Amino acid sequence: MTAMSSIDRLLDIMARLRDPQTGCPWDVQQDFASIAPYTIEEAYEVADAIDRGDLDDLKDELGDLLLQVVFHARMAQEQGAFEFADVVAAISDKMVRRHPHVFADAAVEDAEAQTVAWEEHKRREREDSGQEDRSALAGIARGLPEWQRAVKLQKRAARVGFDWPDVTPVIAKLHEEIEEVRAEFAALDADPEDAAARDRLEDEIGDVLFVCANLARHAQVDVGAAMRRANLKFERRFRAMEAMAQADGTGLAGQSLEAQDRYWDRAKAAEKS
């Protein structure tokens, strides 16, 4: 089966699923808003398969992600807005337009220069489309995961010179923000009903997370990848704790935090041995 015939088959499957008379009731009742969370979830499952190095799973997850594109395109076609072929044409035109060093006579020195050129292409496209926002932060989608949006905001600001020169002041700022979080926790301890203090606490915790994203950016560490590693590490060690407790003829539930911490230390030690 050729690539085109495969796509045509998938488009036909989606059309049949969405048929109001003979289609699947669940598929028929969906709209852009109800499908959007699945689109985001499938993108993360692609990233997870890549992180695990599981190419067989990656093939399946890429198919699931492609289905999301086909689903959205079909719903747009039903409304007379656009169809799948328009999506393909739009991204093809964009790739050619934004890579003049490949498809025309322009030249770029390296990948970093291409990133700068890419952003400049995007800026000109926004202006040509009539968008009035001329901010250096224009065009950063609000639908991004907030950690990813934080890094994009910081990168854009850095392009106009609004950035710390190295990691030292970032770490100092992190300590400052942590102390402000500590102060708001103290305010809540003094008055648990203080709604203003709780609001300030949320604000200060947000500042800590924003600075952490900046710290990762300065370290050239992907925040999402770092969080995945931290999550996997916690899950691995916690499952080891559970296994150790079970081997001791007990469980974690009901044990003191001190006793659970001893299992945690054993799990950490086992990883290093």
Side-chain angles (χ1 to χ4, degrees):
M1 183 177 290
T2 66
M4 286 305 300
S5 61
S6 298
I7 288 292
D8 289 340
R9 180 174 179 238
L10 181 57
L11 293 173
D12 181 64
I13 289 170
M14 179 51 63
R16 293 183 63 181
L17 289 172
R18 288 281 296 178
D19 187 285
Q21 278 74 47
T22 61
C24 169
W26 185 91
D27 291 278
V28 170
Q29 73 177 11
Q30 302 309 309
D31 57 24
F32 294 114
S34 67
I35 288 297
Y38 295 100
T39 307
I40 295 170
E41 180 181 342
E42 296 299 350
Y44 275 110
E45 291 184 359
V46 166
D48 178 62
I50 293 170
D51 191 58
R52 291 183 284 105
D54 189 335
L55 293 184
D56 285 337
D57 198 26
L58 177 59
K59 176 189 65 178
D60 289 340
E61 297 301 345
L62 286 172
D64 291 344
L65 185 57
L66 176 59
L67 178 65
Q68 296 300 306
V69 178
V70 169
F71 208 141
H72 286 288
R74 178 64 196 181
M75 291 187 290
Q77 182 177 351
E78 291 166 359
Q79 297 179 19
F82 59 83
E83 56 186 77
F84 183 78
D86 299 314
V87 175
V88 175
I91 189 59
S92 298
D93 291 344
K94 182 185 294 183
M95 289 299 99
V96 172
R97 186 171 64 248
R98 291 186 182 178
H99 292 83
H101 55 292
V102 175
F103 301 103
D105 298 328
V108 292
E109 295 180 0
D110 50 32
E112 184 177 353
Q114 166 56 16
T115 299
V116 173
W118 179 274
E119 291 297 331
E120 179 60 21
H121 284 303
K122 290 172 65 177
R123 185 192 63 78
R124 288 200 300 267
E125 287 170 3
R126 287 194 298 272
E127 290 182 356
D128 292 343
S129 67
Q131 294 185 26
E132 297 181 357
D133 189 351
R134 296 293 186 265
S135 170
L137 306 179
I140 299 177
R142 293 185 179 274
L144 290 170
E146 294 300 336
W147 64 263
Q148 189 175 357
R149 190 161 187 268
V151 172
K152 283 184 174 289
L153 289 167
Q154 293 161 6
K155 285 182 176 180
R156 290 284 190 86
R159 291 201 186 104
V160 298
F162 190 68
D163 194 16
W164 281 300
D166 55 51
V167 73
T168 301
V170 185
I171 293 175
K173 185 65 174 177
L174 180 58
H175 284 290
E176 175 188 328
E177 297 294 352
I178 289 173
E179 288 305 312
E180 292 178 2
V181 167
R182 199 189 310 274
E184 297 307 334
F185 267 116
L188 273 178
D189 285 340
D191 183 4
E193 303 303 319
D194 187 345
R198 183 163 297 281
D199 186 66
R200 291 194 304 270
L201 177 61
E202 179 179 325
D203 191 60
E204 296 301 343
I205 290 176
D207 289 346
V208 169
L209 296 173
F210 191 82
V211 176
C212 285
N214 208 343
L215 184 65
R217 182 177 64 87
H218 275 268
Q220 297 184 342
V221 168
D222 180 82
V223 182
M227 280 304 304
R228 280 195 296 275
R229 290 184 65 172
N231 288 338
L232 287 170
K233 183 193 300 181
F234 178 85
E235 182 179 6
R236 183 175 65 247
R237 290 177 179 175
F238 189 85
R239 288 180 180 275
M241 291 168 59
E242 291 177 316
M244 290 173 180
Q246 186 176 17
D248 290 341
T250 183
L252 292 179
Q255 295 201 41
S256 68
L257 180 58
E258 291 77 10
Q260 291 182 349
D261 275 339
R262 286 193 290 272
Y263 279 118
W264 178 265
D265 291 338
R266 284 175 58 190
K268 286 177 61 177
E271 287 185 353
K272 295 177 181 178
S273 61

